[in-house]
Each structure stands twice: as C-alpha cells, then as structure tokens.
Amino acid sequence: MEEFTNIFVGEDSESTIRNDFVYDILIVGAGPGGLTAAIYAGRSRLNTIVFEKLAPGGQIAVSDLVENYPGFPEGISGSELAKRIEKQAVKFGAEIVSDEVRSIKKEGDVFFVSTAAHGTVKGKAVIIATGADPVKLPVPEEEKFRGKGISYCATCDAAFFKNRVVAVVGGGDTAISDAIYLTKFAKEVIVIHRRNELRAVKALQEEAFANPKIKFQWDSVPLHVVGDSKVEGIEVKNVKTDETTVLNVDGIFVAIGTVPNSDIVKDFVKLTDRGFIITDHNRETNVKGLFAVGDVRNTPLRQVITAAGDGAIAEFAAEQYIKSIKE
C-alpha cells in the first residue's frame, strides 16, 4: 500500500491530496464519530482522508464541559476533548482536510467525492459523519446565551442546574422526556409550549402531569432571553392573548427539533421522513460501501460516546467491505 505524509490541511496549508489516487476510506465530518473512524482506519494502515468544512470536533467543540465521557471523572471541556481525539486520529495517519464536500456518487466500486477546494477525490468506502443541528431557540439572544444557560442537551447539562429553576421549550417526546429527566436535578421545570396540549406520547404526558416539579406555560412562544452574562429569565408571549410574561429561570433547554445534515446523500440513500440516514447494524446504508455514523444516523441516542462507537463499528465494516471488493 502506498505511504503518505499525513498533516492537517487548513485554509493556509498546502494539500497533499492526490486526485489521481483511490483512497481506502473517505470520511465526511470530523466530529467524534468521524474522528474515531479515522483512528481505527489509521491503526489498520488504511489511506484515510477526513473532510471537515468547519473545525474538527463537531458540536462538542463548543461545549463548556463534558462530564459523561468515560475516563474523565472531573469532566473535560468540549474543545479539549475534541483536540485530543483529533490529535489521536492524526497520530495514526489520518489526513484532516479543511474543505466542504458538495456531492457524492458511486461508479462501480469507486466513490467520487466532490469538494469545494480540492476537486473530486476518489475512495473505496465513504463514512458520512456530518452530524445534525438542533433547531435553534428563535430569539435574538440565542447566540449570546448558548452554553451560558441555553442548552440543547438535557442529558449533557442537567447536572449544572441542581436545585435551580429551568425551562424546557417544546411539547414533543424529546421535550417531555427532557423535562422529566431534569426533575432529577432542578427544583422546578417549566415546560413552554405553543399549544394547549402536548404532542408527546400519552405515557410521557401522564408521567409529566403527575410530577409535582413540572409546571406548564401553555399557548406560549419565546420572545427574548433575559440576563447579563448568563440566563436569568425568558420572556414569552401568549399566542392567544398577546400578553407577555417574564419567567425567572436559570436555564433554558430547547427541544423543538433536530435537522440532520444529510443533504449530500438525500437523492440516493434511504432516509427517515425526518431526513436521518437509515443504516443496518454495521452502520452501512442501502448503498454498499457507504456508511453513516453519529447524529446524522437514525439513532435513539445522540451523544459523544455513541458517535464514537458508531465510528469504530463503521470503520471495521468498511474495512471488511474493502477486502471483499479486492477479492
């Protein structure tokens, strides 16, 4: 197998990518799932490129503290964890390239990955690790308070709000599950919902209504987040009366939907009705040699550790696939 010098290729770096070569594995996305796949691919001595249009690390890179990843009992900042995983991937030979993948197609046993800055790169297998983005809280202050009281992951951040008052925005299964989970830590949870009835399944509704810590702000939508350097409250408007109210809360958990970044494969890969990529137990899609890992995949749990597990499984399966097409 031909050897390559593997370096991080940023905006100001000279690429070592060869467009005339067929790489073993091309990975789209440098979050925990993509980088873990790269670690395993590197250890297997496979020629591997990881494309990332932003910065390596994915959503964890902007998390203040990760407390539920094994091996860090005191927690670790998301940016530091992302750097460590990236460093490990590069150590084992993966080349991480700062570029955007525009499209993917397969001809015979070869995948053609079209990029914005490096032309078309060829690979024997492709792993999609493009993640998913939560629907943002629709208020002007969302960016200012994201990570400073606004959270999109109850299981990640609930412990920071022990004995505090928090709000949950949403009325579906995720929102109500989050509200119930948050009662293990918060002294009060206020569910803000734009309708006068929940969309969650009945079992969750019954559990939430029976929980004395959960209150409901019906027929309401968020207008503004109140606070200086951290969340101190949320202003909501009643959609029926137009009356506005400020709720004094220390944290706001948003669960109004998730949007998978699956557009580059939507025309030829099977997706759920919400756009998540459908895979088998090997994380392989309906297209042989094309795998999906992490939040972009149809999975019941979207966490750093599950994305990493996906990456390991997908790389192992991709390696077996590559061996099969050589035979």
Side-chain angles (χ1 to χ4, degrees):
M1 182 168 58
E2 192 168 348
E3 296 295 331
F4 290 87
T5 300
N6 295 286
I7 60 173
F8 173 75
V9 183
E11 293 179 358
D12 300 320
S13 303
E14 183 178 352
S15 174
T16 62
I17 290 180
R18 286 181 49 179
N19 299 92
D20 61 342
F21 182 77
V22 180
Y23 289 84
D24 291 313
I25 297 181
L26 302 178
I27 300 171
V28 186
L35 290 176
T36 301
I39 290 169
Y40 277 73
R43 284 173 57 84
S44 295
R45 302 297 187 264
L46 299 177
N47 290 314
T48 305
I49 294 179
V50 183
F51 294 102
E52 173 55 60
K53 68 177 181 179
L54 299 174
Q59 290 189 36
I60 63 165
V62 296
S63 299
D64 286 342
L65 188 67
V66 177
E67 289 190 310
N68 57 357
Y69 194 80
F72 299 96
E74 305 303 321
I76 183 173
S77 74
S79 60
E80 178 61 26
L81 180 58
K83 288 177 184 176
R84 293 190 185 195
I85 302 173
E86 176 194 357
K87 183 178 180 180
Q88 196 170 359
V90 172
K91 171 188 174 182
F92 288 116
E95 183 173 354
I96 303 174
V97 178
S98 179
D99 199 356
E100 179 181 5
V101 170
R102 297 285 179 81
S103 66
I104 299 171
K105 67 178 181 179
K106 185 180 183 184
E107 295 181 5
D109 289 330
V110 178
F111 286 92
F112 294 80
V113 174
S114 175
T115 71
H118 295 87
T120 298
V121 185
K122 298 185 284 291
K124 299 171 186 174
V126 173
I127 298 175
I128 305 296
T130 46
D133 296 324
V135 177
K136 300 295 188 293
L137 185 69
V139 299
E141 302 83 8
E142 190 277 337
E143 185 174 353
K144 175 182 177 181
F145 291 106
R146 191 189 314 154
K148 298 177 181 178
I150 293 179
S151 173
Y152 294 89
C153 180
T155 56
C156 306
D157 299 330
F160 296 123
F161 297 91
K162 189 174 182 179
N163 298 322
R164 303 289 185 88
V165 178
V166 299
V168 173
V169 180
D173 288 353
T174 300
I176 303 309
S177 294
D178 285 353
I180 294 168
Y181 180 78
L182 285 162
T183 60
K184 298 178 181 180
F185 302 90
K187 67 179 181 181
E188 183 175 295
V189 179
I190 305 171
V191 175
I192 301 168
H193 188 43
R194 66 179 300 118
R195 300 180 179 84
N196 61 3
E197 61 181 8
L198 300 174
R199 292 182 290 108
V201 297
K202 290 299 182 182
L204 286 175
Q205 292 190 38
E206 291 168 0
E207 186 175 354
F209 291 143
N211 193 315
K213 285 189 174 183
I214 299 178
K215 313 298 180 185
F216 295 89
Q217 185 77 22
W218 301 110
D219 300 314
S220 298
V221 295
L223 290 181
H224 294 282
V225 175
V226 179
D228 185 11
S229 60
K230 62 180 182 179
V231 169
E232 297 175 10
I234 182 169
E235 181 181 359
V236 299
K237 181 182 77 171
N238 187 293
V239 295
K240 292 182 177 178
T241 66
D242 286 336
E243 179 184 0
T244 61
T245 305
V246 175
L247 306 174
N248 296 320
V249 298
D250 302 294
I252 302 167
F253 289 83
V254 186
I256 52 178
T258 305
V259 181
N261 298 313
S262 58
D263 282 355
I264 58 172
V265 295
K266 66 180 182 181
D267 293 331
F268 64 99
V269 169
K270 290 182 180 179
L271 308 175
T272 69
D273 56 2
R274 294 176 57 200
F276 291 96
I277 298 175
I278 297 172
T279 70
D280 63 14
H281 65 283
N282 286 324
R283 307 325 187 239
E284 190 171 26
T285 70
N286 59 294
V287 178
K288 290 296 182 182
L290 181 62
F291 302 81
V293 303
D295 290 4
V296 74
R297 190 176 75 84
N298 187 31
T299 175
L301 185 63
R302 294 181 170 85
Q303 298 280 285
V304 179
I305 192 168
T306 54
D310 279 357
I313 293 169
E315 188 284 330
F316 177 78
E319 190 173 348
Q320 303 309 306
Y321 167 77
I322 292 170
K323 290 178 181 178
S324 74
I325 63 176
K326 289 181 179 179
E327 295 174 354

